[in-house]
Amino acid sequence: TDMLVSAAYLTARDIKLDPLLILAVMAIESRFNPFAESPMGAQGLMQVMSKVHHDKFQELGGVKAALNPVANIKVGSLILKEYVTRGGSVEAGLKSYVGAAEMDNDGGYGLKVLSEYQNLKEVAVGKNVSIFTTALIKPAPRPAAPSVPAQAKPTAIGDMASAAPKKQGPTVTEEIAAL
């Protein structure tokens, strides 16, 4: 695990992305299993679709490097950084990362990653966090009546952004942008 954390921190420093966000993605995507493979073809710690992102693996040994933990962290983190930059927020970046960019919502993926991210931030400052903690970021409750016009209806991603406690400091996107 130390090697995985070190690789995440080194990669994060190189590409200017929060290492705890990288670790949160790894936790949700593969539960830190470097040999995880999905039925859809995603591979490794960050569940990179190596057939889609084969070009990013070229200088790291080709597509077979997808199961190399360090290569997978580097490529997955570059993809995540690209999606966050393109989407304009961590939430939008995560939605693209999970392949839901064109969908109404991401099926709860962003909420899971951001909850894990919050847990990791608390652990990093010395707080004890239960291993059974599932979601610190709760989606905002939906209004019972359709009082919001259809075009302004919040999406799951918007709910996540607004669900963070208001007394906290900068948003995840602002923290990462400050790096």
Side-chain angles (χ1 to χ4, degrees):
T1 332
D2 288 346
M3 189 266 303
L4 303 179
V5 173
S6 294
Y9 269 79
L10 290 170
T11 299
R13 185 190 64 206
D14 291 345
I15 67 171
K16 297 183 178 20
L17 190 64
D18 189 333
L20 297 179
L21 181 62
I22 294 170
L23 290 167
V25 168
M26 288 173 19
I28 300 306
E29 287 288 351
S30 67
R31 295 185 183 229
F32 298 104
N33 176 358
F35 307 110
E37 294 193 58
S38 80
M40 298 300 292
Q43 297 178 293
L45 290 161
M46 296 193 68
Q47 289 293 280
V48 176
M49 297 290 290
S50 57
K51 289 180 181 161
V52 174
H53 300 287
H54 58 89
D55 57 318
K56 293 175 179 71
F57 282 106
Q58 287 312 309
E59 65 183 47
L60 300 169
V63 174
K64 56 187 169 212
L67 292 177
N68 172 306
V70 174
N72 192 277
I73 291 169
K74 284 182 180 183
V75 171
S77 298
L78 284 170
I79 294 164
L80 179 59
K81 170 78 176 198
E82 178 183 321
Y83 290 162
V84 168
T85 301
R86 187 185 314 157
S89 70
V90 171
E91 293 84 354
L94 291 170
K95 191 175 177 196
S96 292
Y97 194 85
V98 77
E102 303 302 320
M103 298 178 190
D104 288 338
N105 69 64
D106 66 2
Y109 175 79
L111 179 63
K112 289 177 193 173
V113 172
L114 292 177
S115 292
E116 185 66 21
Y117 174 74
Q118 287 300 119
N119 287 342
L120 289 170
K121 280 177 59 174
E122 289 191 18
V123 168
V125 296
K127 291 186 181 176
N128 288 327
V129 176
S130 169
I131 61 169
F132 301 108
T133 302
T134 54
L136 296 177
I137 301 173
K138 304 257 189 256
R142 300 229 183 242
S147 59
V148 178
Q151 68 272 18
K153 193 172 194 176
T155 64
I157 296 298
D159 290 346
M160 285 187 303
S162 65
K166 299 300 179 211
K167 65 181 181 178
Q168 288 184 343
T171 67
V172 174
T173 302
E174 291 167 340
E175 287 179 12
I176 291 171
L179 288 175

